[in-house]
Amino acid sequence: MAVFAEGTPCWVDVQLPDIEAGKRFYGELFGWTFDPATGEARIDGKRAAGLVPKRDGRMPTTWTVYLATADAGVLAGRIKAAGGQMVMEPYPVGPYGVVALAADPGGAVFGLRQGGERDDGIQTHMEPGSFCWMEVYTREKDAVDTFYAAVFGYVAQDLAEGDLDYRIWSPPGSRPGDDSSFGGRAVITDAFPAEMPGHVLVYFAVADTDAACAATVEMGGRITNEPFDTPHGRIAVLTDNQGARFAVLAEPADGKRGRAARKADAEEGAEEGDGAKGATGASADAGTDAGTDGSKAGTDGGEEDDRTETAAESVTESAAEQAPGTTREAPAPAEPAKTAEKSAEKPDDMT
């Protein structure tokens, strides 16, 4: 069974109104195959993500990242004590453990996942088609920074250039900014639409960003933020053909050097504005939808007890019952802060 450090991404899933359409879209885009028993997406037989049915039309169509925990109940208490809220209290999913949904003080929604007898976490990372990074976008910088430090003990490194403010996170006990970094925090500034809520953006690695954009459009999706280059690779923000937003990243040709080396480049390239992978715009819409649907989570939580046929379904329900005033969207691999700048340049794409 894989072991994930407390607070690090261990699973991602997307709520979709049409699962079969989602399998066709992501199967073509990322080369995913799907386990017939659980519906989990796989790359070369390894678990990569989940596609879960959106059982309530009021729920947002969105990607969610789940953070690992040894005890979801204890973590839920820490979240509330630190100024966050539980969108869906911890809910057992049989041998797959316990899941929950929470929101930070800025309204960004993320999942919690406590492992069970069976390891159902991500088995592939940073390879084409797999999850590679998460970003939290917020207007409540101080409260959010304090929240993640208090709840998860993240080791932070701040990368700032002009008006761009970006923080990289690594697990407790690691060196700030080393190759253990898994995500970051970006600030939503006045350059963004006033209605954009706090949200999480999920990134997937691809071999070719431009090819991923072309495939997305061909299959009925759209490009929210056009491809652009950073020292860490070429990034774009996309929306699938059902409305879920996510970002893609193709590492540079010298990406094999490893993330630590790329981080050194990042600090030198910070002057160029590269950083928070420009996905903020893309998640804006999903975040807005999530906020609208938010108040339902609490009322539906009690219905979860009847639903646990498979791990995929259980998590689906978890996410589907969630939404109180929160937002969720897709991520990318550790970088400083520049995507925000790119997104801000395209307000028309953030409806």
Side-chain angles (χ1 to χ4, degrees):
M1 175 180 289
V3 177
F4 297 91
E6 183 84 5
T8 59
C10 62
W11 188 247
V12 288
D13 67 24
V14 61
Q15 292 182 57
L16 297 172
D18 187 333
I19 294 299
E20 291 307 311
K23 289 179 178 179
R24 291 191 294 271
F25 179 92
Y26 289 103
E28 178 68 23
L29 182 62
F30 294 142
W32 289 350
T33 58
F34 298 89
D35 186 301
T38 64
E40 295 170 338
R42 295 178 179 266
I43 299 174
D44 296 329
K46 299 176 182 178
R47 286 186 297 272
L51 274 61
V52 295
K54 187 170 76 167
R55 306 198 175 198
D56 187 324
R58 294 171 294 177
M59 293 292 99
T61 300
T62 184
W63 278 96
T64 301
V65 61
Y66 292 79
L67 305 179
T69 180
D71 190 321
V74 170
L75 184 56
R78 291 209 306 266
I79 286 171
K80 289 181 276 193
Q85 63 174 318
M86 295 307 297
V87 173
M88 186 191 77
E89 292 289 343
Y91 169 65
V93 287
Y96 301 95
V98 177
V99 295
L101 287 165
D104 68 23
V109 173
F110 56 90
L112 307 179
R113 202 173 185 100
Q114 175 185 326
E117 297 173 7
R118 172 186 163 179
D119 174 23
D120 61 340
I122 294 171
Q123 292 180 316
T124 178
H125 181 249
M126 296 299 293
E127 297 298 324
S130 63
F131 167 83
C132 61
W133 190 252
M134 65 171 282
E135 272 173 358
V136 172
Y137 285 87
T138 187
R139 297 180 186 278
E140 306 295 333
K141 170 190 168 182
D142 293 338
V144 164
D145 285 351
T146 299
F147 172 83
Y148 287 100
V151 173
F152 298 109
Y154 290 164
V155 176
Q157 179 184 39
D158 291 322
L159 302 174
E161 174 65 23
D163 293 334
L164 295 178
D165 188 331
Y166 196 71
R167 169 168 285 195
I168 289 175
W169 289 322
S170 295
S174 60
R175 292 183 304 165
D178 68 11
D179 62 358
S180 68
S181 61
F182 57 83
R185 181 271 297 145
V187 174
I188 301 174
T189 68
D190 292 338
F192 297 96
E195 65 275 13
M196 179 187 285
H199 60 275
V200 177
L201 177 66
V202 176
Y203 282 76
F204 293 94
V206 293
D208 186 324
T209 297
D210 295 86
C213 289
T216 294
V217 172
E218 183 177 349
M219 292 186 290
R222 69 187 180 91
I223 302 170
T224 301
N225 288 100
E226 294 287 343
F228 64 96
D229 295 308
T230 79
H232 312 282
R234 190 162 174 79
I235 297 167
V237 180
L238 307 174
T239 301
D240 71 18
N241 56 3
Q242 298 187 62
R245 310 293 184 90
F246 58 98
V248 293
L249 168 77
E251 291 194 320
D254 63 349
K256 298 297 182 184
R257 292 182 303 142
R259 295 167 76 187
R262 296 200 307 276
K263 291 265 174 52
D265 292 345
E267 296 180 7
E268 294 177 13
E271 306 160 358
E272 301 176 41
D274 303 335
K277 316 208 157 199
T280 59
S283 5
D285 296 352
T288 303
D289 293 341
T292 326
D293 303 325
S295 44
K296 183 177 190 307
T299 57
D300 290 349
E303 301 175 11
E304 308 280 61
D305 297 281
D306 305 84
R307 320 172 179 170
T308 355
E309 293 145 15
T310 69
E313 288 182 344
S314 300
V315 174
T316 302
E317 269 126 32
S318 313
E321 308 285 340
Q322 71 139 332
T326 55
T327 266
R328 301 162 299 107
E329 230 25 280
E335 268 92 65
K338 183 167 194 178
T339 314
E341 184 177 62
K342 284 287 183 180
S343 299
E345 294 171 359
K346 303 186 177 187
D348 293 340
D349 287 333
M350 304 184 230
T351 52

Coordinates of all heavy atoms in Angstrom, one line a residue, residues 203-262:
Y203 N -3.7 20.3 -12.1 CA -2.9 20.1 -13.4 C -2.6 18.7 -13.7 O -2.4 17.9 -12.8 CB -1.5 20.8 -13.1 CG -1.5 22.3 -13.2 CD1 -2.0 23.1 -12.2 CD2 -0.9 22.9 -14.3 CE1 -1.9 24.4 -12.2 CE2 -0.8 24.3 -14.4 CZ -1.3 25.1 -13.3 OH -1.3 26.4 -13.4
F204 N -2.5 18.4 -15.0 CA -2.1 17.1 -15.5 C -0.9 17.3 -16.4 O -0.9 18.2 -17.2 CB -3.3 16.4 -16.3 CG -4.4 16.1 -15.4 CD1 -5.5 16.9 -15.3 CD2 -4.5 14.9 -14.7 CE1 -6.6 16.6 -14.4 CE2 -5.5 14.5 -13.9 CZ -6.6 15.4 -13.7
A205 N 0.0 16.3 -16.4 CA 1.1 16.4 -17.2 C 0.7 15.8 -18.6 O -0.1 14.9 -18.7 CB 2.2 15.5 -16.7
V206 N 1.3 16.4 -19.6 CA 1.1 16.0 -21.0 C 2.4 16.0 -21.7 O 3.4 16.7 -21.3 CB 0.1 16.9 -21.8 CG1 -1.3 16.7 -21.2 CG2 0.5 18.3 -21.8
A207 N 2.5 15.3 -22.8 CA 3.7 15.3 -23.6 C 3.8 16.5 -24.5 O 4.9 17.0 -24.8 CB 3.8 14.0 -24.5
D208 N 2.7 17.1 -24.9 CA 2.6 18.2 -25.9 C 1.4 19.1 -25.5 O 0.3 18.6 -25.8 CB 2.6 17.7 -27.3 CG 2.7 18.8 -28.3 OD1 2.1 19.9 -28.1 OD2 3.3 18.5 -29.4
T209 N 1.7 20.2 -25.0 CA 0.5 21.1 -24.6 C -0.3 21.5 -25.8 O -1.5 21.6 -25.7 CB 1.1 22.3 -23.8 OG1 1.7 21.9 -22.7 CG2 0.0 23.3 -23.5
D210 N 0.3 21.9 -26.9 CA -0.4 22.4 -28.0 C -1.3 21.2 -28.6 O -2.4 21.5 -29.0 CB 0.5 22.9 -29.1 CG 1.2 24.2 -28.6 OD1 2.3 24.1 -27.9 OD2 0.7 25.3 -28.8
A211 N -0.8 20.0 -28.6 CA -1.5 18.9 -29.1 C -2.7 18.6 -28.2 O -3.8 18.3 -28.7 CB -0.6 17.7 -29.2
A212 N -2.5 18.8 -26.9 CA -3.6 18.6 -25.9 C -4.7 19.6 -26.2 O -5.9 19.3 -26.1 CB -3.1 18.7 -24.5
C213 N -4.3 20.9 -26.5 CA -5.3 21.9 -26.8 C -6.1 21.6 -28.0 O -7.3 21.7 -28.0 CB -4.6 23.3 -26.9 SG -3.9 24.0 -25.4
A214 N -5.4 21.2 -29.1 CA -6.0 20.9 -30.3 C -7.0 19.7 -30.1 O -8.2 19.7 -30.6 CB -5.0 20.5 -31.4
A215 N -6.6 18.7 -29.4 CA -7.5 17.5 -29.1 C -8.7 17.9 -28.3 O -9.8 17.5 -28.6 CB -6.7 16.4 -28.4
T216 N -8.5 18.8 -27.4 CA -9.6 19.3 -26.5 C -10.7 20.0 -27.4 O -11.9 19.7 -27.3 CB -9.1 20.2 -25.4 OG1 -8.3 19.5 -24.5 CG2 -10.3 20.9 -24.7
V217 N -10.3 20.9 -28.2 CA -11.2 21.6 -29.1 C -11.9 20.7 -30.1 O -13.1 20.7 -30.3 CB -10.4 22.7 -29.9 CG1 -11.3 23.4 -30.9 CG2 -9.9 23.8 -28.9
E218 N -11.1 19.7 -30.6 CA -11.7 18.8 -31.6 C -12.8 17.9 -31.0 O -13.8 17.6 -31.6 CB -10.6 17.9 -32.1 CG -11.0 16.9 -33.2 CD -9.9 16.0 -33.7 OE1 -8.7 16.4 -33.4 OE2 -10.2 15.1 -34.4
M219 N -12.7 17.7 -29.6 CA -13.7 16.8 -29.0 C -14.8 17.7 -28.3 O -15.6 17.1 -27.5 CB -13.0 16.0 -27.9 CG -12.0 14.9 -28.5 SD -11.4 13.8 -27.2 CE -10.2 14.9 -26.4
G220 N -14.8 19.0 -28.6 CA -15.9 19.8 -28.1 C -15.6 20.6 -26.8 O -16.5 21.2 -26.3
G221 N -14.4 20.5 -26.4 CA -14.0 21.3 -25.2 C -13.5 22.7 -25.7 O -13.6 23.0 -26.9
R222 N -12.9 23.4 -24.8 CA -12.3 24.7 -25.2 C -11.1 25.1 -24.5 O -10.8 24.5 -23.4 CB -13.4 25.8 -25.1 CG -13.8 26.2 -23.7 CD -14.9 27.2 -23.8 NE -15.4 27.7 -22.5 CZ -14.9 28.7 -21.9 NH1 -13.9 29.4 -22.4 NH2 -15.3 29.1 -20.7
I223 N -10.4 26.0 -25.0 CA -9.2 26.5 -24.4 C -9.5 27.8 -23.6 O -10.0 28.8 -24.2 CB -8.1 26.9 -25.5 CG1 -7.8 25.6 -26.3 CG2 -6.8 27.4 -24.8 CD1 -6.9 25.9 -27.6
T224 N -9.3 27.8 -22.3 CA -9.6 28.9 -21.5 C -8.4 29.9 -21.5 O -8.6 31.1 -21.5 CB -10.0 28.5 -20.1 OG1 -11.1 27.6 -20.1 CG2 -10.3 29.6 -19.2
N225 N -7.3 29.3 -21.4 CA -6.0 30.1 -21.4 C -5.1 29.5 -22.5 O -4.7 28.3 -22.3 CB -5.3 30.2 -20.1 CG -6.1 31.1 -19.1 OD1 -6.8 30.6 -18.3 ND2 -5.9 32.4 -19.2
E226 N -4.8 30.2 -23.5 CA -3.9 29.7 -24.6 C -2.6 29.3 -24.0 O -2.1 29.8 -23.0 CB -3.7 30.8 -25.6 CG -4.9 31.2 -26.4 CD -5.4 30.1 -27.4 OE1 -4.6 29.2 -27.7 OE2 -6.5 30.2 -27.8
P227 N -1.9 28.3 -24.7 CA -0.6 27.8 -24.2 C 0.4 29.0 -24.0 O 0.4 29.9 -24.9 CB -0.2 26.9 -25.3 CG -1.5 26.4 -25.9 CD -2.3 27.7 -25.9
F228 N 1.2 28.9 -23.0 CA 2.3 29.8 -22.8 C 3.5 29.1 -22.1 O 3.3 28.1 -21.5 CB 1.9 31.1 -22.0 CG 1.5 30.8 -20.6 CD1 2.3 31.0 -19.6 CD2 0.2 30.4 -20.4 CE1 1.9 30.7 -18.3 CE2 -0.2 30.1 -19.1 CZ 0.6 30.3 -18.0
D229 N 4.7 29.6 -22.3 CA 5.9 29.0 -21.8 C 6.3 29.6 -20.5 O 6.2 30.8 -20.2 CB 7.0 29.1 -22.8 CG 6.7 28.4 -24.1 OD1 6.4 27.2 -24.0 OD2 6.8 29.0 -25.2
T230 N 6.9 28.7 -19.6 CA 7.5 29.1 -18.4 C 8.8 28.3 -18.3 O 9.0 27.3 -19.0 CB 6.6 28.7 -17.1 OG1 6.7 27.3 -16.9 CG2 5.1 29.0 -17.4
P231 N 9.6 28.6 -17.3 CA 10.9 27.8 -17.2 C 10.6 26.4 -16.8 O 11.5 25.5 -17.0 CB 11.6 28.5 -16.0 CG 11.1 29.9 -16.0 CD 9.6 29.8 -16.4
H232 N 9.4 26.1 -16.4 CA 9.0 24.7 -16.0 C 8.3 23.9 -17.0 O 7.9 22.8 -16.8 CB 8.2 24.8 -14.7 CG 8.9 25.7 -13.7 ND1 10.0 25.3 -12.9 CD2 8.7 27.0 -13.4 CE1 10.4 26.3 -12.2 NE2 9.6 27.3 -12.4
G233 N 8.0 24.6 -18.1 CA 7.2 23.9 -19.2 C 6.2 24.8 -19.8 O 6.0 25.9 -19.4
R234 N 5.5 24.2 -20.7 CA 4.4 24.9 -21.5 C 3.1 24.6 -20.9 O 2.7 23.4 -20.7 CB 4.5 24.5 -23.0 CG 3.6 25.4 -23.9 CD 4.0 25.2 -25.3 NE 3.2 25.9 -26.3 CZ 3.2 27.2 -26.5 NH1 4.0 28.0 -25.9 NH2 2.4 27.7 -27.4
I235 N 2.3 25.6 -20.5 CA 1.0 25.4 -19.8 C -0.1 25.9 -20.6 O 0.0 26.9 -21.4 CB 1.1 26.2 -18.5 CG1 2.2 25.6 -17.6 CG2 -0.2 26.2 -17.7 CD1 2.6 26.5 -16.4
A236 N -1.3 25.3 -20.3 CA -2.6 25.9 -20.9 C -3.7 25.5 -19.9 O -3.5 24.5 -19.2 CB -2.9 25.3 -22.3
V237 N -4.8 26.2 -19.9 CA -5.9 25.9 -19.1 C -7.0 25.5 -20.1 O -7.3 26.2 -21.0 CB -6.3 27.1 -18.2 CG1 -7.5 26.7 -17.4 CG2 -5.2 27.5 -17.3
L238 N -7.7 24.4 -19.8 CA -8.7 23.8 -20.7 C -10.0 23.6 -20.0 O -10.0 23.5 -18.8 CB -8.2 22.5 -21.3 CG -6.8 22.6 -22.0 CD1 -6.4 21.2 -22.4 CD2 -6.8 23.5 -23.2
T239 N -11.1 23.4 -20.8 CA -12.4 23.1 -20.2 C -12.9 21.9 -21.1 O -12.8 21.9 -22.3 CB -13.4 24.2 -20.4 OG1 -12.9 25.3 -19.6 CG2 -14.7 23.8 -19.8
D240 N -13.3 20.8 -20.4 CA -13.7 19.6 -21.2 C -15.1 19.9 -21.8 O -15.7 21.0 -21.6 CB -13.7 18.4 -20.3 CG -14.8 18.3 -19.2 OD1 -15.8 19.1 -19.3 OD2 -14.6 17.5 -18.3
N241 N -15.6 18.9 -22.5 CA -16.8 19.1 -23.2 C -18.1 19.1 -22.3 O -19.2 19.1 -22.8 CB -17.0 18.1 -24.4 CG -16.8 16.7 -23.9 OD1 -16.7 16.4 -22.7 ND2 -16.9 15.8 -24.9
Q242 N -17.9 18.9 -21.0 CA -19.0 19.0 -20.1 C -18.9 20.2 -19.1 O -19.7 20.4 -18.3 CB -19.1 17.7 -19.3 CG -19.4 16.5 -20.3 CD -19.7 15.2 -19.5 OE1 -20.7 15.1 -18.7 NE2 -18.9 14.2 -19.7
G243 N -17.8 20.9 -19.2 CA -17.6 22.1 -18.4 C -16.6 22.1 -17.3 O -16.5 23.0 -16.5
A244 N -15.9 21.0 -17.1 CA -14.9 20.9 -16.0 C -13.6 21.5 -16.5 O -13.1 21.2 -17.6 CB -14.7 19.4 -15.6
R245 N -13.0 22.3 -15.6 CA -11.8 23.0 -16.0 C -10.6 22.3 -15.4 O -10.6 21.7 -14.3 CB -11.8 24.4 -15.5 CG -13.0 25.2 -15.8 CD -13.1 25.5 -17.3 NE -14.2 26.3 -17.6 CZ -14.2 27.7 -17.7 NH1 -13.0 28.3 -17.4 NH2 -15.2 28.3 -18.0
F246 N -9.4 22.4 -16.1 CA -8.2 21.8 -15.6 C -7.0 22.4 -16.4 O -7.3 23.1 -17.4 CB -8.2 20.3 -15.8 CG -8.4 19.8 -17.2 CD1 -7.3 19.5 -18.0 CD2 -9.7 19.8 -17.8 CE1 -7.5 19.1 -19.3 CE2 -9.9 19.4 -19.1 CZ -8.8 19.0 -19.9
A247 N -5.8 22.2 -15.9 CA -4.7 22.8 -16.6 C -3.8 21.6 -17.1 O -3.8 20.5 -16.5 CB -3.9 23.7 -15.7
V248 N -3.0 21.9 -18.1 CA -2.1 20.8 -18.6 C -0.7 21.5 -18.6 O -0.5 22.7 -18.9 CB -2.5 20.3 -20.0 CG1 -3.7 19.5 -19.9 CG2 -2.6 21.4 -21.0
L249 N 0.3 20.6 -18.4 CA 1.7 21.1 -18.5 C 2.6 20.1 -19.2 O 2.6 18.9 -18.8 CB 2.2 21.3 -17.0 CG 3.7 21.5 -16.9 CD1 4.1 22.9 -17.2 CD2 4.2 21.1 -15.5
A250 N 3.4 20.6 -20.1 CA 4.4 19.7 -20.8 C 5.7 20.2 -20.3 O 6.0 21.4 -20.5 CB 4.3 19.8 -22.3
E251 N 6.5 19.3 -19.7 CA 7.8 19.7 -19.2 C 8.7 20.1 -20.3 O 8.6 19.6 -21.4 CB 8.4 18.6 -18.3 CG 7.7 18.4 -17.0 CD 8.5 17.5 -16.1 OE1 9.1 16.5 -16.6 OE2 8.5 17.7 -14.9
P252 N 9.7 21.0 -20.0 CA 10.7 21.3 -21.1 C 11.5 20.1 -21.4 O 11.5 19.1 -20.7 CB 11.5 22.4 -20.4 CG 11.4 22.2 -18.9 CD 10.0 21.7 -18.8
A253 N 12.2 20.2 -22.5 CA 13.0 19.1 -23.0 C 14.0 18.6 -22.0 O 14.4 17.5 -21.9 CB 13.8 19.5 -24.3
D254 N 14.5 19.6 -21.1 CA 15.5 19.2 -20.1 C 14.8 18.8 -18.8 O 15.4 18.8 -17.8 CB 16.5 20.3 -19.9 CG 15.8 21.5 -19.3 OD1 14.6 21.6 -19.3 OD2 16.5 22.5 -18.9
G255 N 13.5 18.5 -18.9 CA 12.8 18.2 -17.6 C 13.3 17.0 -16.9 O 13.1 16.9 -15.7
K256 N 14.0 16.1 -17.5 CA 14.6 15.0 -16.8 C 15.6 15.4 -15.7 O 15.9 14.5 -14.9 CB 15.3 14.1 -17.8 CG 14.3 13.5 -18.9 CD 13.2 12.6 -18.2 CE 12.3 12.0 -19.3 NZ 11.2 11.3 -18.7
R257 N 16.0 16.6 -15.8 CA 17.0 17.0 -14.7 C 16.4 16.9 -13.3 O 17.1 16.9 -12.3 CB 17.4 18.5 -15.0 CG 18.3 18.6 -16.2 CD 18.7 20.1 -16.3 NE 17.5 20.9 -16.4 CZ 17.5 22.1 -15.8 NH1 18.6 22.5 -15.1 NH2 16.5 22.9 -15.9
G258 N 15.1 17.0 -13.3 CA 14.4 16.9 -12.0 C 13.9 18.2 -11.5 O 14.3 19.3 -12.0
R259 N 12.9 18.2 -10.6 CA 12.3 19.4 -10.2 C 13.2 20.3 -9.4 O 13.0 21.5 -9.4 CB 11.0 19.0 -9.3 CG 10.0 18.2 -10.2 CD 9.0 17.5 -9.4 NE 8.0 18.5 -8.9 CZ 7.1 18.2 -8.0 NH1 7.0 16.9 -7.5 NH2 6.2 19.1 -7.5
A260 N 14.1 19.7 -8.6 CA 15.0 20.6 -7.8 C 15.7 21.5 -8.8 O 15.9 22.7 -8.5 CB 16.0 19.8 -7.0
A261 N 16.3 21.0 -9.9 CA 17.0 21.8 -10.8 C 16.1 22.9 -11.5 O 16.4 24.0 -11.7 CB 17.6 21.0 -11.9
R262 N 14.8 22.4 -11.7 CA 13.9 23.4 -12.4 C 13.6 24.5 -11.4 O 13.3 25.6 -11.8 CB 12.6 22.6 -12.8 CG 12.9 21.6 -13.8 CD 11.6 21.2 -14.6 NE 10.6 20.8 -13.7 CZ 10.4 19.6 -13.2 NH1 11.3 18.7 -13.5 NH2 9.4 19.3 -12.4

